[in-house]
């Protein structure tokens, strides 16, 4: 039986390959739901927040999760809500979206879909009326760098002030139809995603496949996919099925806010209704409003997930993807680079290094001091060594790990080597400074050397004029 979820009011089935993807990749690459954004790909920024609706007892609970580190198969038996699902029509926004627009809760808009979905979960599950501390806790997993949280908090307090909405009976019937109490297994013995219902089934599965990856919250496994670029072939998930349903794992990817992340203080009082929303001019009588701010033109697109960014554009047919293999050392001599394994990987079109550049291996605008790829020596940690060009993003990312650099011999700066030799050979007090600290890099005039030597002699510092660099005309 395949994994099944409710998405856009229809039941969708996931095969083994899709179940092992992150939920974010399944939404963006398979379903084309680009309103959910990829920010950090490690569960920190909250731009990828979606809401999973599940039946727990006699209730349907709405839970915000980070889609970037949640495996798509873990959404089995749930209804997946994204930011595009809230507004029934473009001119009829959800109360959360409408409040965000009217309170100017978006600026660049990239983090706005995740914030809207966190508040959407609070709209269904939060206490009434919500406190400012509760709103801050709900937004603790959403990072916003440009708007500021004050208008967002004001929008949340207004949108969630009324009673929670009633959940349509059709949603409950769809979720009940998914819960058939059967074991779920997608794939074959070579690669699968399994969700055993009972402990007996789990024991048989692990006896047959002892190397299968057993996950509960799967946050680590999500990072292995997004950051480690690994692809576990056999995955057995427990946390949302019958085995662990009685005792949820503390590693669940659900974004449970920390207790009282932002405690209320007198400085954090709720703002007045029109604070920072109008500009007043004192007259002889009552204040006269001379200007009223209007929502920015893209605000409605931001809260609906309809604003298109570069990564949201459809790729033309035949688009190639590039991933760079980078240096693990901060500085040293590069003795060679082996790329044969990367070139032999299926889906790889080419591997490009410094020797493949037809012109100058440098991208500096003025001075030739910024090579595109390391050549002969490594200048900093993470410096690109070569670029892998492949037919898909996954092939490019995973093939770059097969590019192996020969041993990078660590290089010590010349001045540091000289200081170490001076310290090791000196028998004087550790507080005695050497007479030369930095190597001479440029010539200076005879007059300057004579003047600096005279000053050093008068002060008794013992420093040589050779420590000075540069020239004085």
């Amino acid at each position: 039986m395949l994994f099944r979820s409710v998405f856009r009011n229809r039941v969708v089935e996931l095969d083994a390959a899709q179940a092992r993807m992150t939920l974010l990749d399944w939404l963006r690459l398979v379903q084309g739901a680009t309103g959910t954004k990829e920010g950090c790909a490690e569960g920190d920024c909250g731009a990828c927040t979606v809401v999973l609706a599940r039946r727990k007892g006699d209730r349907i609970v709405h839970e915000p999760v980070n889609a970037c580190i949640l495996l798509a198969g873990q959404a089995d038996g749930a209804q997946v809500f994204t930011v595009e699902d809230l507004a029934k029509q473009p001119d009829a926004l959800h109360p959360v979206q409408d409040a965000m627009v009217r309170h100017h809760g978006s600026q660049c808009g990239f983090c706005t879909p995740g914030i809207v979905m966190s508040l959407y979960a609070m709209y269904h599950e939060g206490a009434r009326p919500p406190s400012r501390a509760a709103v801050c806790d709900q937004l603790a997993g959403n990072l916003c760098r440009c708007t500021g949280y004050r208008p967002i908090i004001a929008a949340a307090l207004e949108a969630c002030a009324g009673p929670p909405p009633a959940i349509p009976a059709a949603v409950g019937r769809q979720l009940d139809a998914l819960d058939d109490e059967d074991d779920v297994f997608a794939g074959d013995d070579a690669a699968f995603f399994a969700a055993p219902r009972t402990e007996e089934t789990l024991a048989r599965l692990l006896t047959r496949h002892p190397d299968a990856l057993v996950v509960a919250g799967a946050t680590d496994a999500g990072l292995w996919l997004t950051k480690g670029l690994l692809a576990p072939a056999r995955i057995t998930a427990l946390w949302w099925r019958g085995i662990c349903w009685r005792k949820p794992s503390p590693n669940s990817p659900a974004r449970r806010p920390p207790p009282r992340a932002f405690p209320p203080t007198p400085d954090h009082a709720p703002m007045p209704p029109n604070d920072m929303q109008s500009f007043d001019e004192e007259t002889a009588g009552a204040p006269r409003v001379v200007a009223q701010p209007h929502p920015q033109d893209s605000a409605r697109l931001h809260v609906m997930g309809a604003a298109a960014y570069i990564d949201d554009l459809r790729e033309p047919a035949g688009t190639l993807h590039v991933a760079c293999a980078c240096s693990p050392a901060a500085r040293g001599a590069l003795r060679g680079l082996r790329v044969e394994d990367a070139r032999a990987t299926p889906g790889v079109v080419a591997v490009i290094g410094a020797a493949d550049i037809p012109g100058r291996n440098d991208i500096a605008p003025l001075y030739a001091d910024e090579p595109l790829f390391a050549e002969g020596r490594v200048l900093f940690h993470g410096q690109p060594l070569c670029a892998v060009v492949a037919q898909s993003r996954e092939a490019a990312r995973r093939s770059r790990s097969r590019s192996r650099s020969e041993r990078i011999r660590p290089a010590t700066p010349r001045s540091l080597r000289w200081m170490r030799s001076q310290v090791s050979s000196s028998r004087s007090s550790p507080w005695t400074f050497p007479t030369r600290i930095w190597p001479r890099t440029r010539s200076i005039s005879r007059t300057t050397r004579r003047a600096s030597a005279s000053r050093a002699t008068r002060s008794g510092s013992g420093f040589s004029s050779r420590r000075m660099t540069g020239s004085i005309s």
Side-chain angles (χ1 to χ4, degrees):
M1 178 178 177
L2 297 178
F3 289 82
R4 298 187 301 168
S5 301
V6 178
F7 182 68
R8 305 280 167 86
N9 294 324
R10 60 185 179 88
V11 177
V12 294
E13 294 184 346
L14 284 70
D15 57 24
Q18 294 176 353
R20 297 196 307 273
M21 301 170 63
T22 64
L23 181 59
L24 179 63
D25 283 346
W26 182 79
L27 288 171
R28 293 181 58 87
L29 303 179
V30 179
Q31 299 296 329
T34 57
T36 304
K37 309 302 181 185
E38 179 179 356
C40 64
E42 58 187 28
D44 288 334
C45 71
C48 65
T49 303
V50 299
V51 171
L52 299 184
R54 298 184 185 275
R55 180 175 290 282
K56 292 186 179 181
D58 57 349
R59 297 183 60 243
I60 295 179
V61 179
H62 293 72
E63 192 173 34
V65 297
N66 288 322
C68 67
I69 56 174
L70 183 75
L71 301 181
Q74 293 178 274
D76 177 65
Q79 183 168 6
V80 182
F81 289 99
T82 66
V83 68
E84 297 99 327
D85 303 330
L86 304 191
K88 302 304 179 183
Q89 296 179 357
D91 56 346
L93 297 179
H94 187 273
V96 171
Q97 296 171 318
D98 182 65
M100 286 283 289
V101 171
R102 289 187 292 101
H103 285 272
H104 311 277
S106 72
Q107 188 166 330
C108 78
F110 193 83
C111 65
T112 304
I115 292 175
V116 168
M117 295 311 296
S118 293
L119 298 182
Y120 175 74
M122 188 177 188
Y123 179 78
H124 282 275
E125 302 296 333
R128 298 298 195 269
S131 63
R132 189 183 192 280
V135 174
C136 291
D137 286 345
Q138 186 72 13
L139 295 173
N142 294 94
L143 301 183
C144 178
R145 293 188 173 187
C146 56
T147 303
Y149 288 93
R150 182 165 182 159
I152 299 174
I153 294 173
L157 293 174
E158 178 184 300
C160 300
I167 299 177
V171 175
R173 289 193 296 267
Q174 284 182 319
L175 296 179
D176 292 338
L178 297 180
D179 189 11
D180 50 13
E181 299 185 358
D182 287 339
D183 297 323
V184 181
F185 186 94
D188 51 27
D189 288 341
F192 63 79
F193 195 107
R197 187 73 179 188
T198 63
E199 296 179 2
E200 292 76 11
T201 307
L202 173 63
R204 289 196 302 268
L205 182 64
L206 294 182
T207 300
R208 186 175 179 179
H209 301 284
D211 60 339
L213 175 65
V214 180
V215 298
T219 52
D220 289 344
L223 290 176
W224 296 341
L225 267 66
T226 60
K227 298 300 183 180
L229 303 177
L230 302 178
R234 303 179 182 92
I235 301 177
T236 302
L238 305 177
W239 74 283
W240 82 102
R241 301 296 294 182
I243 296 177
C244 292
W245 188 256
R246 298 184 299 272
K247 185 179 180 181
S249 168
N251 295 326
S252 170
R255 294 173 47 258
R256 295 184 178 90
R260 303 189 67 80
F262 301 98
T265 64
D267 295 334
H268 291 163
M271 63 181 182
N274 292 325
D275 187 23
M276 299 181 67
Q277 301 288 320
S278 62
F279 305 92
D280 299 336
E281 177 183 330
E282 293 292 340
T283 59
R288 178 172 61 89
V289 177
V290 297
Q292 188 74 26
H294 297 280
Q296 61 161 307
D297 295 339
S298 301
R300 296 178 68 88
L301 298 178
H302 291 164
V303 300
M304 296 172 59
Y309 298 83
I310 296 297
D311 199 33
D312 301 332
L313 302 179
R314 287 284 185 178
E315 297 177 356
T319 298
L320 297 178
H321 298 256
V322 179
C324 290
C326 300
S327 168
R331 186 179 177 89
L334 180 62
R335 297 185 175 181
L337 190 65
R338 288 183 289 183
V339 297
E340 293 78 8
D341 293 343
R343 284 198 174 103
T345 303
V348 173
V349 177
V351 179
I352 302 173
D356 301 312
I357 298 179
R360 187 179 64 178
N361 178 30
D362 192 86
I363 56 175
L366 295 178
Y367 303 101
D369 59 354
E370 191 174 350
L372 178 60
F373 298 114
E375 186 175 11
R377 60 175 180 166
V378 172
L379 302 178
F380 56 89
H381 180 273
Q383 182 177 5
L385 303 177
C386 64
V388 178
V389 184
Q391 297 174 350
S392 66
R393 184 189 65 174
E394 289 73 20
R397 288 181 175 180
R398 295 195 170 98
S399 299
R400 68 180 178 183
S401 62
R402 300 190 177 186
S403 300
R404 295 283 186 259
S405 60
E406 300 288 349
R407 181 176 179 271
I408 299 177
R409 180 170 57 85
T412 305
R414 183 172 57 177
S415 59
L416 185 57
R417 292 199 303 269
W418 183 87
M419 290 182 66
R420 288 176 177 174
S421 64
Q422 292 292 314
V423 172
S424 61
S425 61
S426 175
R427 296 292 186 267
S428 60
S429 168
W431 304 106
T432 301
F433 291 97
T435 58
R436 177 186 175 194
I437 293 182
W438 295 289
R440 180 183 176 187
T441 57
R442 296 182 185 179
S443 62
I444 57 177
S445 65
R446 181 179 303 176
T447 304
T448 303
R449 292 199 299 269
R450 187 179 304 160
S452 60
S454 176
R455 287 193 296 270
T457 302
R458 289 196 301 269
S459 63
S461 62
F463 279 89
S464 169
S465 63
R466 295 175 67 185
R467 74 182 285 266
M468 299 185 61
T469 60
S471 60
I472 303 176
S473 57

